[in-house]
Structure formats: C-alpha cells, structure tokens
Amino acid sequence: MSEQDSNWKYADYIVTESEAIAKARSQSLELGIEPLSPAMGAQVAVLAAATNAMNIVEIGTGAGVSGLWLLHSSSRSVLTSIDSEVEHLGYARQAFSDARIAANRVRLITGRALDVLPRMNENSYDVVYVDGDPAQVIENVEHGLRLARAGGTVLVPHALWRGRVADPAQRDDVTSAFRTLVQEIASSTAVVSALSPVGDGLLQITKLD
C-alpha cells in the first residue's frame, strides 16, 4: 500500500459515523450506489458548519448518506434533495427518519436535476451539493452556481473521477467533463476554489460577490 493510500485509509478510519449514516451506507452499497467516503462526509459537514448553512440543495439523493452529513452540523438547516430514482428516495426518507430528522427539514423531489433546477430560486442557497449524473456534471454545477448565494459554496464529490482526471491519457466523456470543470473553475475570477484529494476528490467552489 502506498503512503497516499495509507493516508486515505487513515482519514476514513478516524471518522466515527452515526448509526443512521452507517446503516444508510450499507443500504447504498446493497443498491449499487457509491456513497461519499467517511472522510469526505466529515469534510462536507465541516464546510456546512463553517458556512452556517441553513438552506442546502443536494443533486443526487442516493440512500441518504450525503444528506445526513450535510445536515449533521445544525439542527435548523433544511435540505432539498433531488433524485430521479423513486426507490432511492424511499430509502433516503427512511434514513432521515432513523436519524430523527424532522420531516419539515427535508424536501425530497423526484425528477431529473436538469428539469428541476431551472425552477429553483437563484442566489438562495448556502450550499449546493452536486452528485447527480456524472455525464451532466458541468451543467449541474452551472445551475448550482446560479442557485448559490454570494458567499455560498458548491461541492462536487468524485471530482477526480476514480483517479482518472489527473491522467491526461484518460479521455472518456465523463473523465473529460470533470477535467474540464476542474480546469475552468480554477481559472475563474467569479469564484474561489480548492480541489481536495479526500475520497475520490472534492471540488469546493465558493461564489464571490
């Protein structure tokens, strides 16, 4: 095992997940959903806490792992989560219930992100978490930046896409989309950004005034 792999394994190991998150993670794996890693979950929770995020949008609900982490830092924050898979939303709803999160703090929307996002209010959200169809990551991030308030943050997990983004020889459509996104965001003067290697990569984009 490389030193880098050891660091990643340790970063996951030191995170203590709640029983509800652990159960949702197990359910995700059974459904064939790749949930964010424990270390990335902890980082997402820190970022939500640091921005005092009250209004959060999540693109890609899965079985609720990321949503539970996003709501972890505040008992008052509200999550709007979008997913096209009705079955996944059902498991996520149960995960939020298991975590004793009040029903009025979670709004689950069934639908394609690119159909739902244009109808949402711009400049209104503290955090937008983008984990939908990877082939549509650029479009989803564009919507996310529109929805985020000034000072709000867009979070993009899997930004290194299975370690392929850093390898210029990898040119499949999804890898190229993530690579283009990372490069364009890095050169933009409208945001401040950082790419964390935690998990499969977490791109953090904060919208400037």
Side-chain angles (χ1 to χ4, degrees):
M1 181 181 294
S2 70
E3 180 179 348
Q4 190 174 43
D5 287 339
S6 296
N7 288 339
W8 283 338
K9 186 174 181 179
Y10 180 71
D12 279 337
Y13 171 75
I14 63 169
V15 175
T16 300
E17 291 191 314
S18 68
E19 183 178 342
I21 293 177
K23 181 178 177 182
R25 179 177 300 283
S26 177
Q27 185 64 66
S28 297
L29 296 174
E30 287 184 21
L31 292 169
I33 301 169
E34 183 178 353
L36 77 174
S37 71
M40 186 181 291
Q43 186 164 340
V44 163
V46 167
L47 290 165
T51 56
N52 191 30
M54 292 293 101
N55 296 307
I56 303 170
V57 173
E58 176 184 44
I59 303 168
T61 312
V65 176
S66 50
L68 289 171
W69 274 117
L70 287 163
L71 293 173
H72 182 73
S73 62
S74 171
S75 61
R76 297 184 296 118
S77 52
V78 175
L79 174 71
T80 298
S81 191
I82 305 162
D83 204 300
S84 60
E85 295 288 341
V86 175
E87 181 185 18
H88 296 176
L89 289 169
Y91 283 112
R93 185 175 287 106
Q94 184 60 53
F96 294 129
S97 176
D98 290 344
R100 299 188 176 181
I101 294 172
N104 63 358
R105 293 185 58 208
V106 180
R107 179 171 65 141
L108 300 179
I109 299 176
T110 305
R112 293 176 63 254
L114 294 184
D115 293 332
V116 176
L117 294 171
R119 304 197 299 267
M120 299 182 71
N121 294 331
E122 61 184 34
N123 301 315
S124 299
Y125 296 91
D126 304 304
V127 168
V128 182
Y129 183 84
V130 179
D131 192 19
D133 184 347
Q136 298 172 351
V137 65
I138 292 176
E139 294 91 335
N140 284 337
V141 169
E142 288 174 347
H143 279 294
L145 287 169
R146 182 183 61 82
L147 298 181
R149 62 168 175 80
T153 298
V154 176
L155 301 174
V156 187
H158 309 298
L160 292 172
W161 195 244
R162 313 183 196 287
R164 297 169 67 88
V165 167
D167 181 358
Q170 304 296 330
R171 301 190 178 189
D172 61 275
D173 289 345
V174 172
T175 301
S176 296
F178 275 103
R179 185 181 295 123
T180 296
L181 173 65
V182 169
Q183 292 172 345
E184 290 187 354
I185 289 297
S187 63
S188 173
T189 59
V191 301
V192 60
S193 65
L195 176 59
S196 168
V198 66
D200 192 26
L202 179 65
L203 180 61
Q204 305 151 70
I205 313 164
T206 295
K207 185 176 175 179
L208 299 176
D209 254 334

